[in-house]
Amino acid sequence: MLDREGFRPNVGIILLNQRNQVFWGKRIRTHSWQFPQGGIDRGETPEQAMFRELHEEVGLHPEHVRVVARTRDWLRYEVPDRFIRRDARGHYKGQKQIWYLLQLVGHDWDLNLRATTHPEFDAWRWNDYWVPLDVVVEFKRGVYEMALTELSRFLPRCDYRNRFLRSNMRGRDGEHPDGCFEEAQGAHFELPPGATFDPDPQLSHPAVP
């Protein structure tokens, strides 16, 4: 299912643990790592597609996660011709995605890469929030940066347990060494599943297309 411009509707998933680290999956039988993502089937809402892909690719059910936020608009990336099947060249251009920020409320052992007979990943790990920007395939990097930046304002506060009261160490934009944010803007409230937000024009985040 493509739109008039040749983009396939798709959802992307940024899954957080309690330290605000993100799930990073290795595509089966490759050396390529990425966030979970997948196409939206005809008749599905983006949220329905997100929960379906969450189970198919990661083995989680809705009760294992909390929906924190989603991107306001579609984020697009074009796929280079060498990655497109020959029969799709000329009419398939790339993906347009709605990105969801989820927090795992279950346990690591709830993750199951073999939840279906057609697994997407054969390995996974937790990465600090911004690390994927340095290692994702180049043609997806722009979308990853827009999604991570737009959703970073909703990162939940971490339980530091006074670990950093004696230290002045900070990372990117107030980030602690373990990937948690001291003052994640907007983290004092939660959005209901499927809700959107209007970005503050005073922030320096990249504009959403």
Side-chain angles (χ1 to χ4, degrees):
M1 184 175 66
L2 303 178
D3 67 12
R4 294 180 179 179
E5 297 177 329
F7 288 92
R8 183 188 181 198
N10 192 281
V11 291
I13 299 170
I14 301 172
L15 176 66
L16 302 170
N17 64 11
Q18 297 303 314
R19 292 163 59 88
N20 283 350
Q21 295 172 316
V22 295
F23 173 94
W24 196 229
K26 187 177 84 66
R27 296 191 65 181
I28 191 165
R29 294 186 293 275
T30 74
H31 298 290
S32 175
W33 292 73
Q34 67 175 46
F35 289 132
Q37 68 175 66
I40 300 174
D41 292 338
R42 189 175 301 276
E44 277 189 322
T45 66
E47 184 176 327
Q48 289 170 338
M50 179 272 292
F51 279 122
R52 177 178 52 76
E53 291 292 340
L54 183 70
H55 175 67
E56 291 178 358
E57 297 194 359
V58 186
L60 297 179
H61 295 282
E63 61 267 25
H64 293 133
V65 298
R66 179 173 65 89
V67 179
V68 180
R70 53 159 278 182
T71 53
R72 182 186 61 171
D73 295 319
W74 297 103
L75 306 181
R76 292 172 172 81
Y77 67 83
E78 296 186 14
V79 177
D81 282 347
R82 66 181 182 275
F83 294 106
I84 300 176
R85 297 193 318 269
R86 288 185 179 180
D87 60 346
R89 292 176 186 174
H91 56 272
Y92 171 75
K93 193 170 184 179
Q95 307 276 11
K96 65 176 186 180
Q97 300 176 312
I98 295 292
W99 281 86
Y100 284 85
L101 182 67
L102 309 179
Q103 185 168 46
L104 180 67
V105 296
H107 304 280
D108 283 11
W109 57 77
D110 292 320
L111 295 162
N112 177 14
L113 303 185
R114 296 294 185 270
T116 71
T117 56
H118 302 286
E120 179 72 21
F121 303 120
D122 58 17
W124 69 274
R125 62 176 179 244
W126 295 114
N127 269 345
D128 287 341
Y129 188 78
W130 298 104
V131 165
L133 291 184
D134 298 325
V135 291
V136 69
V137 64
E138 185 176 358
F139 66 85
K140 293 184 181 181
R141 191 165 297 149
V143 160
Y144 271 44
E145 182 169 11
M146 285 188 289
L148 287 166
T149 302
E150 182 176 344
L151 296 173
S152 67
R153 63 189 297 209
F154 292 100
L155 283 170
R157 285 196 170 193
C158 295
D159 181 7
Y160 301 123
R161 302 185 187 279
N162 299 320
R163 287 175 297 169
F164 298 102
L165 293 180
R166 297 183 299 275
S167 171
N168 291 322
M169 294 178 62
R170 295 293 184 270
R172 175 173 176 174
D173 298 332
E175 187 179 2
H176 284 286
D178 67 351
C180 295
F181 279 66
E182 182 178 22
E183 302 255 353
Q185 186 172 6
H188 59 282
F189 66 90
E190 299 176 7
L191 295 178
T196 62
F197 65 90
D198 293 322
D200 185 341
Q202 300 302 317
L203 296 179
S204 58
H205 297 322
V208 178

